[in-house]
Amino acid sequence: KEDRTGRCMDKSITLPPDEIFRNLENAKMFAIDIGGSLTKLAYYSTVQHKVAKVRSFDHSAKVNGDLLYEISVQEEITARLHFIKFENAYIETCLDFIKDHLVNTETKVIKATGGGAYKFKDLVEKKLKLKVDKEDEMTCLIKGCNFVLKNIPHEAFVYAKHADSEFRFQNTHPDIFPYLLINIGSGVSIVKVEAEDKFERIGGSSIGGGTFWGLGALLTKTKRFDELLQLASKGQHTNVDMLVKDIYGGAYGSLGLTGNLIASSFGKSATTDKEFSKEDMAKSLLHMISNDIGQLACLYAKLHNLTRVYFGGFFIRGHPVTMHTITYSINFFTKGEVQALFLRHEGYLGAIGAFLKGAEEDNPNQYSWEENYAGSSGLMSASPELNPVQRARSGTFDMLEMDRLDRQLVNLPLLQDPTSYIPDTVDLTEDALAREYWLYCFEEALDGVVKRAIASQKDQPEAVERAEKFRQKYRHKVQTLRHQPFAYGSLTVRSLLDTREHCLNEFNFPDPYSKIKQKENDMALKYYLKVVKSVEELSWEQRQFTLVKGLLAGNVFDWGAKAVSDVLESDPDFGFEQAKQQLQERPWLVDAYNQWIERLKGPPHKCALFFVDNSGIDIILGVFPFIRELLVRGTEVVLASNSGPALNDVTNSELQILTERIAAMDPVIHAALKEDRLALVQNGSSSPCLDLSRLDKVLATAVRERGTDLVIIEGMGRAIHTNYYAMLSCESLKLAVIKNSWLAERLGGKIFSVVFKYEVPSKA
């Protein structure tokens, strides 16, 4: 039995199965997509996670001393999708493994798609005792494509062969339709997709990947597809093709044709007696077929007025040579107006679609999903010289995991142009200096994170072992990203932070800072009234400055910044007043304070949306006095906090309890809550950064209904690493203290420099 790569079926292969078929004991609902050489398996599982829950004490009972709330760790069950890709040679071993570990017996059917679904139908049915239910290939492909474009922000990329980073990721916008999908398998199918279930095949060609393979085999006597591509990458097509200059001695000016343009593919072979090399013939053939497909794609895109054109199929499948020739061809025929887009998870589309067909009664599309970096392999470079160990493994097994989110995520309605919004300030894939610094930074911080994780679960002896596993996993991820920065889309500080959070969750450290947050919240509450009183005694001008200064001083208390956590570890008495002294004197690094004060002399804002940051002094002594002043002015306030824990950021459930306690002391906050002028809403995220295109739908509705006309974003993660350049359609304040000296120097300042950015949208 041979597959497309010419390898025989091998039953003696052993797998590191727990690493690959994760969570099989809770698996249900299977789908399989069997192609010419690769099998893609999909299943749904339930994952038990530990989550830290906070609950307010009954304070009338006075049993618990002065503790603000209790933290209990509970088990929570969430849904996860697993997709695994492997060579057909492994199919029997994999099916055996699944059969031995499959506990769930409710599953009766396996959805199947792909050309090999017929060939392997009996084997699958016999091994898994499941009935194979075949689904239409094109429907599955489109369903899968819609799913990844909607749920993975950095799914699509442009391929740039000679650039510093060969993959340039495009931010996917929530509105993904309409688009053109060019699927290059044996032949070519051109499909126009207009909505979730509305698509039509508008054209195609019999000259596709199979033609390249077939003619290539005849010309070079090479039977293997990968080998053909290898030959082509080394060839010179100009030895075989006739160029414009071969006919006219140079360019054909009056027709606008340059001399190096191919006038006739294989044109020289008719008139020359010499033997041509296999490499040159393979390269010429590759150009001939890619240019033909490229021209077809452009004509259809023009005819149907479409600018988003995605390419897929085994001919593409991450091969740099074919991505390059297709990109060149599209660029040439559309004069740069249309970009050829490729997909990071292109090989999984059929399996994802087949799975979604089988899961329709659960309606997976009503949820938002996110890639779990801890369990996904990421995009591998096809350059063999990159990390050979990684290549060997990825050539065998490749994984993608998607976690279901409790909430549906949508755009912030106040983004000026959602289609051009990019959350991240620096793309580390393209900035080698910054990349090296931040990777080093995260590696350096790893010991501290491990220590903190163990300390948060002192009562659990096996925590040390889990923390060690976390360390290995995260270090491995960082090393992979050093070699392949594009593995999960654009590499950014946010993706490094999120990967760390995913890995902590993986090993059941849901909230390593919970006890620190509890202590700091407790402490800060004792000073709240004192701060408010001292502010109230000031003149109006002085009061505004003191409130802003308090907000900035509060933002110093960030356990995510090494410079700060070192101080907090060694000096437990470091407090609000000391933080104020650390701040840069005005003029600040970015200083729009005067414009802000002028604006405050005008009429009050209707409603302010405030994305908050850290627990403790930041939220209680910085944010609350500041929003209290807004409330007194007559501005409604929406406080948006994280849905789940990240570092020492305040979570929505913690904020509910803090607000209750503050309201009990402060009649202004009490009245605002009672009259619904102060609202607490979760943002749908568990990240120390902020993506304004993936926010909780409830928050978006509140923003719209309250007529929000001011957005305040606080902290390094949300206002510097992300959203520094975000353009909003209303006024905005972005403020942070730079607690990292390397970043401060890069921005032209020193550590504890202040960014106070007030922006008013220009009237169109």
Side-chain angles (χ1 to χ4, degrees), residues 239-240 267-276:
N239 294 335
V240 185
K268 284 183 181 160
S269 52
T271 54
T272 317
D273 285 339
K274 67 171 189 156
E275 286 284 309
F276 294 102

Side-chain angles (χ1 to χ4, degrees), residues 253-264:
S254 60
L255 290 183
L257 302 175
T258 62
N260 285 326
L261 212 58
I262 299 173
S264 169

Side-chain angles (χ1 to χ4, degrees), residues 567-603:
V567 173
L568 296 176
E569 294 264 16
S570 59
D571 178 6
D573 298 327
F574 182 84
F576 195 42
E577 293 310 314
Q578 287 93 322
K580 282 185 186 169
Q581 266 128 50
Q582 292 283 351
L583 293 178
Q584 175 191 17
E585 292 292 320
R586 287 192 66 200
W588 294 323
L589 185 59
V590 175
D591 194 332
Y593 179 74
N594 295 349
Q595 291 89 312
W596 169 243
I597 281 300
E598 280 311 305
R599 170 62 187 88
L600 286 184
K601 289 174 183 168

Side-chain angles (χ1 to χ4, degrees), residues 214-241:
L215 276 175
L218 291 172
L219 288 166
T220 66
K221 305 288 178 280
T222 300
K223 279 275 190 256
R224 281 179 55 183
F225 185 72
D226 290 357
E227 264 176 35
L228 258 181
L229 286 179
Q230 206 59 45
L231 287 174
S233 66
K234 296 185 190 129
Q236 270 296 340
H237 75 99
T238 51
N239 294 335
V240 185
D241 292 345

Side-chain angles (χ1 to χ4, degrees), residues 528 624 627-628 631-632 635-637 659-679 706:
Y528 175 74
F624 264 98
I627 62 148
R628 184 181 191 275
L631 289 164
V632 170
T635 300
E636 289 183 17
V637 175
T659 309
E660 231 170 80
R661 287 299 298 278
I662 290 172
M665 299 188 264
D666 182 348
V668 173
I669 300 296
H670 184 268
L673 268 180
K674 207 171 153 195
E675 293 156 20
D676 195 34
R677 290 182 294 109
L678 170 61
R706 289 176 183 261

Side-chain angles (χ1 to χ4, degrees), residues 70-88:
E70 62 173 328
I71 306 162
S72 60
V73 172
Q74 298 170 12
E75 293 285 340
E76 189 174 77
I77 292 182
T78 53
R80 179 174 283 174
L81 295 181
H82 303 255
F83 304 101
I84 298 137
K85 185 164 70 179
F86 50 87
E87 289 166 9
N88 289 351

Side-chain angles (χ1 to χ4, degrees), residues 14-31:
T14 54
L15 311 174
D18 47 334
E19 274 293 302
I20 293 165
F21 297 102
R22 292 167 16 117
N23 223 33
L24 256 182
E25 64 282 6
N26 302 321
K28 50 178 188 273
M29 282 201 286
F30 280 83

